[in-house]
Amino acid sequence: MQIIKDPLEMQQIALAVRAAGKRLGVVPTMGFLHAGHLSLVQLAHERSDVVVLTLFVNPTQFGPKEDLAKYPRDFERDAELCRTAGVDILFAPEAGAMYAPDASSYVSEEKLTRGLCGASRPGHFRGVCTVVAKLFNLCLPHVAVFGAKDAQQLRVIRRMTRDLNFPIEIVAGPTIREPDGLALSSRNVYLSAAERRQALVLKRALDEAARLFKSGERAAAALRAAMEQIITQAPAARIDYIEIVDDDTLEPVPTLTRPTLIALAVFLGKTRLIDNAVL
Ligand code: PAF
């Protein structure tokens, strides 16, 4: 496995891989890898000849009061996991190499980012779109793989890719869960033992919504009330949002008549977790 830190060297390698007629797959991450990321690497392998995993804790997608400084990092462990997973190139640039001190160009998506995490984390998706566009330009992939757990991010990146004509296939990898149902996330390490136990309310709330939907309930308000009731039973839980939105437009729906995304963001203590289901 090659470890590349210099963005322009990454771009030169990508050009050479493409000139050799090989398909390039990229898995963008912020590191502190877990089985969810490794499942994305597996999907990239199935669709390409050369797999690049990018590891970059992107400062522009964190708000001033968010966890950039304490975001978990362990480069050696991540590199070892990448080797074991058969990653060909680990691209791990420094922030100073990715952003010029006077950088002043950004990529914004202006519809799908209005609600959900876009409303609770102003500027977050501008940072995500900007860095993903830069990673696309540096890694020049044919295919890029993102996790379905970040439901809004996935839809925003698909939209940006279409709107800006990146010739890249966006592939979604399913959410990987602990045996008890908690969605894997690098942020799970922040949870105390009690918060970890109580974090199961996210999946329980989604399961309850799915159960009600299966039994014929179509009113968004009824699903939201049932989910709220489950989540508020956990003393450490504070709901950031429960949104029931059209899966394409991410606009709130009163009644479930088309594929609908149920997306949750819940604080367990200071840790904000997200999860979702499509009904
Ligand atoms: O999902 C993430 O880990 C990040 O938002 C991404 C896509 C790597 C951009 O920094």
Side-chain angles (χ1 to χ4, degrees), residues 25-265:
V26 72
V27 181
T29 81
M30 298 206 300
F32 214 69
L33 304 178
H34 51 64
H37 296 112
L38 302 179
S39 73
L40 305 182
V41 170
Q42 180 57 35
L43 287 174
H45 270 303
E46 286 164 17
R47 288 164 175 77
S48 46
D49 305 307
V50 174
V51 173
V52 181
L53 183 136
T54 72
L55 191 173
F56 180 58
V57 182
N58 172 37
T60 66
Q61 69 188 73
F62 288 80
K65 292 193 183 137
E66 292 184 353
D67 56 343
L68 172 63
K70 72 173 180 95
Y71 194 83
R73 292 163 170 89
D74 188 340
F75 182 79
E76 290 311 323
R77 178 177 160 278
D78 284 348
E80 198 43 48
L81 284 170
C82 284
R83 269 186 211 102
T84 312
V87 167
D88 299 289
I89 300 170
L90 172 56
F91 175 46
E94 301 294 339
M98 282 292 276
Y99 293 105
D102 60 347
S104 52
S105 306
Y106 299 92
V107 179
S108 295
E109 191 287 330
E110 299 194 347
K111 276 208 176 115
L112 303 180
T113 57
R114 281 185 197 151
L116 292 83
C117 292
S120 337
R121 303 182 67 190
H124 170 68
F125 284 114
R126 185 175 85 148
V128 170
C129 286
T130 302
V131 82
V132 170
K134 284 165 73 67
L135 292 169
F136 284 176
N137 284 332
L138 294 170
C139 301
L140 303 172
H142 296 85
V143 53
V145 190
F146 294 87
K149 183 174 79 72
D150 293 295
Q152 188 178 17
Q153 170 173 281
L154 175 64
R155 286 154 183 77
V156 168
I157 289 171
R158 278 194 203 285
R159 176 68 60 93
M160 175 191 81
T161 303
R162 184 203 72 181
D163 288 350
L164 301 186
N165 302 102
F166 284 107
I168 299 171
E169 180 196 358
I170 305 298
V171 172
T175 301
I176 306 294
R177 298 181 181 278
E178 299 281 6
D180 62 6
L182 180 67
L184 296 192
S185 162
S186 304
R187 289 188 166 101
N188 290 350
V189 292
Y190 298 149
L191 300 170
S192 68
E195 289 163 356
R196 169 66 184 79
R197 276 194 303 278
Q198 294 177 42
L200 295 181
V201 292
L202 278 85
K203 179 68 165 74
R204 279 201 206 119
L206 291 170
D207 287 348
E208 178 61 5
R211 191 191 66 75
L212 288 170
F213 179 78
K214 236 179 165 177
S215 69
E217 182 61 75
R218 293 292 181 268
L223 300 186
R224 182 180 290 103
M227 287 191 285
E228 244 171 52
Q229 216 215 344
I230 290 175
I231 295 170
T232 51
Q233 277 165 16
R238 181 168 58 82
I239 296 171
D240 180 14
Y241 66 73
I242 298 175
E243 293 288 353
I244 300 177
V245 294
D246 182 278
D247 193 34
D248 288 330
T249 64
L250 302 189
E251 292 292 335
V253 293
T255 312
L256 284 75
T257 54
R258 287 177 23 83
T260 301
L261 172 71
I262 306 211
L264 306 177

